[in-house]
């Protein structure tokens, strides 16, 4: 499947654009908070579309091409899940209301897809012209794998890369959102809302992720059509996946180790391929090195196995359970205090906060003791309870059972 006709390319691009437009007009045009059932249903639909496409590739182009597509899709999807951690921090740091997050994510993903397409064709051109690029891609992945292993836990600080800094400087925005509008009026003047800024931040940050993901997928296949479609399908379902596994993201405490192993595997595969195609003068006098090759089928099996082990170990880990409850409680308290203004949804958030506090009580004492020592977390929970008590006194929200419990009680004191 080295050559794909122009008609196939055209139909594929039109299909992907059609899915993006369908998502915009039927899902995110009207701001709403997707239910768990809605997110699960549409995640299943987008995954099914990708699987059917991969089956079509296998039928019409052969088993090798099908294996390359599935290996690329699974790898890109796994890397996308890691990206969701950063999206979560960005949306929280920009205080985007929950109902408006869908549109932000969709626009950011569309921007990222266009930028990644450019990277894909650039990467293909480099590979076709210079065999040594495989060495560079392999080293990039090995360095990235090492950086993932050096990370200490999940970073609570939102990313502040050059794209975000430039956007903040160039886009003068109002202090508050106006629904999901990009423009509003402030002091009689038409100004940008923070909505455009956060869209740029999401799209720009995801473009930086492409510096890792594009070399990774080129390590599994050099077929530009497969690279493009695997990347596109992994991004298309990312918005729905965000709302589906939002509560589980913090639970995947060992995901970075699994991704590091996958990137290291692909990095080694790329370097072995580079040795096989070697023409660099100072390596083996420019002659090919007949090194062992890692087949695509073996790569796919190893990648899937690593992901399964990573997810299972993370879900069974007491550390993962504690981290999940604490992160969820922190997020719900922040939403309740600083982000959401809709009274009905505020009540729902506070109820979720109480549930997480009850779960924290079920943790072993060593974890609860650590939480009691976190003054910022205890203060955050305390402010959330005080604000809720004020709203109850004013008749602005209901009083759920257990709402009067003190934050220190959540840690088991």
């Amino acid at each position: 499947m080295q050559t794909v006709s122009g008609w196939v390319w055209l139909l594929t691009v039109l299909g992907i654009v059609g899915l993006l437009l369908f998502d915009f007009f039927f899902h995110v045009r009207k701001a709403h908070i997707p239910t768990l059932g809605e997110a699960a249903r549409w995640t299943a639909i987008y995954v099914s579309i990708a699987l059917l496409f991969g089956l079509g590739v296998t039928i019409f182009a052969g088993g090798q091409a099908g294996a390359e597509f599935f290996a690329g899709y699974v790898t890109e999807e796994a890397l996308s899940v890691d990206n969701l951690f950063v999206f979560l921090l960005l949306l929280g740091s920009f205080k985007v209301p929950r109902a408006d997050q869908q549109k932000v994510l969709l626009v950011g993903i569309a921007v990222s897809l266009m930028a990644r397409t450019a990277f894909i064709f650039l990467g293909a051109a480099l590979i076709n012209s210079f065999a040594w690029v495989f060495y560079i891609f392999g080293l990039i992945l090995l360095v990235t794998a090492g950086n993932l292993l050096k990370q200490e836990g999940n970073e609570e600080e939102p990313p502040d890369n050059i794209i975000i800094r430039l956007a903040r400087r160039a886009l003068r925005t109002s202090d508050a959102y106006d629904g999901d509008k990009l423009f509003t009026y402030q002091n009689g003047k038409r100004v940008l809302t923070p909505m455009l800024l956060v869209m740029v931040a999401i799209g720009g940050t995801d473009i930086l992720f492409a510096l890792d993901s594009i070399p990774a997928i080129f390590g599994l296949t050099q077929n530009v059509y497969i690279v493009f479609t695997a990347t596109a399908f992994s991004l298309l379902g990312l918005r729905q996946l965000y709302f589906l596994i939002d509560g589980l993201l913090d639970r995947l405490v060992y995901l970075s180790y699994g991704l590091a192993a996958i990137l290291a595997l692909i990095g080694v595969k790329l370097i072995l391929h580079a040795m096989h195609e070697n023409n660099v003068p100072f390596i083996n006098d420019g002659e090919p090195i007949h090194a062992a090759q890692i087949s695509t089928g073996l790569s796919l099996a190893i990648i899937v196995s690593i992901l399964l082990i990573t997810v299972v170990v993370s879900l069974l880990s007491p550390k993962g359970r504690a981290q999940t409850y604490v992160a969820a409680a922190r997020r719900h308290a922040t939403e309740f205090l600083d982000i959401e203004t809709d009274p009905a949804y505020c009540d729902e958030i506070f109820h979720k906060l109480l549930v997480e506090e009850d779960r924290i009580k079920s943790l072993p004492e060593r974890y609860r003791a650590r939480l009691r020592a976190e003054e910022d977390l205890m203060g955050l929970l305390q402010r959330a309870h005080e604000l809720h008590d004020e709203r109850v006194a004013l008749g602005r929200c209901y009083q759920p059972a257990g709402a009067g419990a003190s934050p220190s009680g959540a840690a088991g004191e």
Side-chain angles (χ1 to χ4, degrees):
M1 191 179 172
Q2 293 304 309
T3 58
V4 178
S5 70
W7 280 109
V8 173
W9 270 103
L10 178 62
L11 290 174
T12 302
V13 171
L14 289 176
I16 290 170
V17 172
L19 287 173
L20 286 170
L21 292 175
F22 176 83
D23 235 1
F24 178 80
F25 286 105
F26 291 94
H27 288 151
V28 307
R29 193 176 187 183
K30 182 179 180 181
H32 71 284
I33 301 168
T35 64
L36 184 62
E38 178 187 342
R41 183 165 57 253
W42 284 104
T43 297
I45 289 173
Y46 274 95
V47 171
S48 298
I49 292 173
L51 294 178
L52 288 173
F53 183 87
L55 180 62
V57 171
T58 304
I59 293 172
F60 292 104
Q64 175 66 21
E68 289 177 358
F69 173 81
F70 284 117
Y73 175 71
V74 171
T75 300
E76 290 295 297
E77 198 70 40
L79 292 171
S80 294
V81 171
D82 193 45
N83 298 354
L84 293 181
F85 284 102
V86 180
F87 291 173
L88 189 66
L89 292 173
L90 276 172
L91 293 171
S93 67
F94 282 99
K95 299 182 179 180
V96 182
R98 185 75 165 176
D100 300 323
Q101 291 180 3
Q102 290 199 93
K103 182 174 287 187
V104 171
L105 287 170
L106 183 61
V107 173
I109 288 167
V111 171
S112 174
L113 180 56
M114 290 187 289
R116 289 192 186 207
T117 300
F119 284 151
I120 288 169
F121 283 101
L122 175 61
L126 289 173
I127 287 172
N128 290 332
S129 302
F130 310 104
W132 51 262
V133 170
F134 286 111
Y135 285 115
I136 303 298
F137 281 5
L139 289 174
I140 288 173
L141 295 183
L142 291 175
V143 170
T144 303
N147 289 336
L148 284 173
L149 290 176
K150 289 191 296 184
Q151 288 180 358
E152 299 181 3
N154 288 328
E155 297 293 334
E156 291 294 336
E157 291 297 322
D160 186 27
N161 55 58
I162 186 170
I163 293 176
I164 296 177
R165 291 196 295 272
L166 288 175
R168 286 185 185 275
R169 190 172 302 173
L171 301 176
R172 301 295 180 182
T173 64
S174 62
D175 297 327
Y177 293 91
D178 185 5
D180 59 358
K181 297 178 182 177
L182 298 181
F183 296 91
T184 188
Y185 285 91
Q186 192 175 60
N187 299 324
K189 295 181 179 179
R190 194 166 185 255
V191 295
L192 292 167
T193 70
M195 186 63 66
L196 182 60
L197 181 59
V198 69
M199 286 178 177
V200 172
I202 291 286
T205 300
D206 200 54
I207 288 171
L208 296 180
F209 289 138
L211 300 178
D212 301 331
S213 66
I214 297 304
I217 194 169
F218 269 117
L220 297 167
T221 177
Q222 284 80 60
N223 187 301
V224 178
Y225 182 78
I226 293 178
V227 172
F228 170 75
T229 52
T231 300
F233 281 117
S234 70
L235 288 174
L236 282 173
L238 196 57
R239 179 186 61 80
Q240 293 84 356
L241 189 64
Y242 173 85
F243 289 96
L244 177 62
I245 67 172
D246 183 7
L248 291 176
L249 283 175
D250 302 295
R251 188 71 177 268
L252 302 177
V253 290
Y254 298 116
L255 179 64
S256 60
Y257 296 100
L259 293 179
I262 291 171
L263 292 178
L265 167 70
I266 300 174
V268 171
K269 179 178 168 68
L270 271 170
I271 290 176
L272 290 174
H273 182 75
M275 294 168 64
H276 189 74
E277 302 287 332
N278 181 62
N279 59 9
V280 179
F282 55 84
I283 299 178
N284 197 37
D285 296 325
E287 296 296 322
I289 303 172
H290 299 291
Q293 299 286 296
I294 302 175
S295 69
T296 303
L298 179 60
S299 299
L300 176 58
I302 294 174
I303 290 168
V304 172
S305 299
I306 289 172
L307 289 176
L308 286 175
I309 293 171
T310 299
V311 171
V312 170
V313 172
S314 294
L315 293 178
L316 295 177
S317 164
K319 176 185 176 182
R321 192 166 67 252
Q323 189 164 303
T324 301
Y325 299 160
V326 171
R330 189 190 302 274
R331 187 161 61 252
H332 294 325
T334 302
E335 280 186 293
F336 183 76
L337 287 168
D338 299 332
I339 300 176
E340 297 296 339
T341 57
D342 179 67
Y345 189 52
C346 282
D347 285 341
E348 183 180 337
I349 293 172
F350 192 77
H351 176 74
K352 290 179 179 179
L353 175 60
L354 295 180
V355 171
E356 298 304 331
E357 289 180 343
D358 286 338
R359 288 174 173 171
I360 290 174
K361 293 178 185 178
S362 69
L363 294 172
E365 170 57 28
R366 67 178 183 276
Y367 292 110
R368 299 202 306 273
R370 292 175 190 171
L371 297 181
R372 289 193 292 269
E374 292 189 24
E375 295 182 3
D376 61 329
L377 175 63
M378 292 295 103
L380 184 68
L381 298 179
Q382 181 70 45
R383 292 196 302 275
H385 279 265
E386 290 174 353
L387 178 59
H388 182 267
D389 291 342
E390 291 176 12
R391 291 178 177 176
V392 169
L394 295 172
R396 294 179 180 174
C397 59
Y398 69 91
Q399 174 79 30
S406 68
S408 60
E413 278 190 348

